[in-house]
Structures are given as C-alpha cells and as structure tokens.
Amino acid sequence: MLDLLKRRRSIRKYANKEIEKEKVLKLVQGALLSPSSRNLRPWEFVVVEDKAILEKLSHSKPGGGFLKNAELGIVILGNPEISDVWIEDTSIASSIIHLLSYDLGLGSCWIQIRERNHDDSTSAEEYVRQILGIPEHLKVLSILALGYPDEIKPANSEEDLHYEKVHLNNYGSKFVK
Ligand SMILES: Cc1cc2nc3c(=O)[nH]c(=O)nc-3n(C[C@H](O)[C@H](O)[C@H](O)COP(=O)(O)O)c2cc1C
C-alpha cells in the first residue's frame, strides 16, 4: 500500500483504450465499500462511459478539459439530507476510487466541482446538474477522470515527505524519523 501511495500521481493524459467492464465494476465496488460516518452512505455515483457526455462534462469548469480524453468519468454526489458530514464521506469515496484506479493499472485525476464556477453566472455544480439530470437535493462534489495512463510521472521521493508537518506528542515537538 505504501508503495502504491508513493507511485500515485494525478494522471491527466489517457490512452485510447477502453477500460474493461470488470475493472469498471471493481471501481464501483470500491466506491460502495467506502467508510462513511455512522455508516449512512450519503453518496451516489454517476458512471459516465458515453464520450459525448464526457466531452460536455469536460467544460464544467476551467482546468477540467482533460476529461474529454478520459475513458471514464465517475461523478460523486452527496446527500446533505442524509448526513451533515457528506463532504467528508464523498471525499473519502473520491480518494478510494482514485487509489483503486492505480491498483487496477489505470490512472485518474480528481476534478473539483463543489465551490467551483463554470462561468460568471453558472456554478460548475449547476452545469453538471443540467447535463446529467441530477435532482436538486443532491450536491456534486467531484468528478474522477479515469483511463489507461498515457503519461509517466515520477513517483514521490523521500524529499516529497514534509516531516516538519508532523508533531510528536505536543504541537511543535519534532517527529524524528
Ligand atoms: C480536493 C482536490 C481537488 C482537486 N481538484 C483538481 C482539479 O479540479 N483539477 C485538476 O487537474 N486536479 C485536481 N486535483 C489534483 C491535484 O492538483 C493533485 O493531487 C496535486 O497537484 C498533487 O499532484 P499529484 O496528485 O500528482 O501528486 C485535486 C486534488 C484534490 C485532492
């Protein structure tokens, strides 16, 4: 697991290769296995394989354009009526999909939708809601763009680990590795 965490990078370039059905199912299973506060599972997911819809979603906000070349998008929704900590729960589900994708030989990148804008008059959430027909009671947290990687990024090294952010026993006491 630590090795996977070191190798994990956000992948935004994808090969023109379909993701096998079994792998899509595993990603869904991983999402549904995510832990949630009080086990309330306040999330829902829209699995998008349709290229035309992925293209539309790629315009959700500036900086999400790489979604149009992804083989798969998973839109992560949260229901605030079910849980007051839906943001935490949906973030965990997003992270699990992201991590699981590497275990399956895929690459992925989180596209933030909550609190982001499509343009001056429309939020990214509203834009996604219109395209996918998402009901008003659900919030849109993120979209995970996924595919077989078409870029190689260096793994994280020991220098990327900021041990100064870790304290031992009391805040300000150094954690020495
Ligand atoms: C909450 C969150 C939101 C993010 N939103 C975006 C995004 O909207 N677009 C994007 O290209 N990357 C996004 N990322 C990916 C980060 O930019 C990336 O994780 C960070 O730069 C570190 O790079 P690495 O994942 O390759 O280690 C997001 C990551 C997180 C955790």
Side-chain angles (χ1 to χ4, degrees):
M1 181 78 185
L2 186 60
D3 183 56
L4 185 148
L5 293 173
K6 284 180 181 167
R7 284 187 289 108
R8 183 218 59 80
R9 297 294 311 277
S10 291
I11 296 298
R12 299 180 180 86
K13 291 184 183 154
Y14 310 101
N16 191 10
K17 180 182 174 190
E18 203 176 314
I19 302 176
E20 298 84 342
K21 288 274 169 233
E22 314 84 73
K23 291 194 178 181
V24 176
L25 176 61
K26 283 183 178 172
L27 290 165
V28 168
Q29 289 170 334
L32 295 174
L33 285 165
S34 302
S36 63
S37 172
R38 292 187 282 151
N39 209 14
L40 288 173
R41 305 182 180 104
W43 15 250
E44 296 193 34
F45 307 93
V46 183
V47 176
V48 183
E49 295 176 326
D50 186 308
K51 289 277 183 188
I53 300 175
L54 287 174
E55 206 277 331
K56 284 185 194 161
L57 289 175
S58 75
H59 301 292
S60 299
K61 66 160 203 182
F66 57 90
L67 182 60
K68 72 171 180 296
N69 297 319
E71 285 296 316
L72 186 74
I74 301 182
V75 183
I76 291 100
L77 311 173
N79 189 338
E81 293 168 11
I82 292 179
S83 175
D84 57 347
V85 292
W86 67 271
I87 297 175
E88 288 84 343
D89 290 339
T90 49
S91 297
I92 290 168
S94 303
S95 297
I96 284 185
I97 297 167
H98 181 52
L99 292 174
L100 180 57
S101 73
Y102 294 91
D103 193 49
L104 297 172
L106 304 168
S108 63
C109 186
W110 180 315
I111 300 172
Q112 180 70 18
I113 298 299
R114 194 183 76 84
E115 298 290 329
R116 296 290 179 263
N117 287 322
H118 168 66
D119 59 23
D120 287 347
S121 55
T122 312
S123 68
E125 176 177 73
E126 200 45 44
Y127 180 85
V128 174
R129 186 184 301 288
Q130 293 301 325
I131 290 170
L132 300 178
I134 296 164
E136 283 295 327
H137 68 281
L138 295 174
K139 302 282 189 191
V140 185
L141 180 96
S142 64
I143 305 175
L144 260 288
L146 302 114
Y148 279 94
D150 195 28
E151 63 176 329
I152 296 167
K153 287 188 164 179
N156 290 293
S157 65
E158 195 58 22
E159 287 72 57
D160 296 307
L161 303 182
H162 294 248
Y163 289 104
E164 74 278 7
K165 292 182 178 293
V166 185
H167 311 269
L168 181 65
N169 294 323
N170 292 294
Y171 189 89
S173 300
K174 266 192 182 161
F175 171 85
V176 182
K177 60 169 170 158

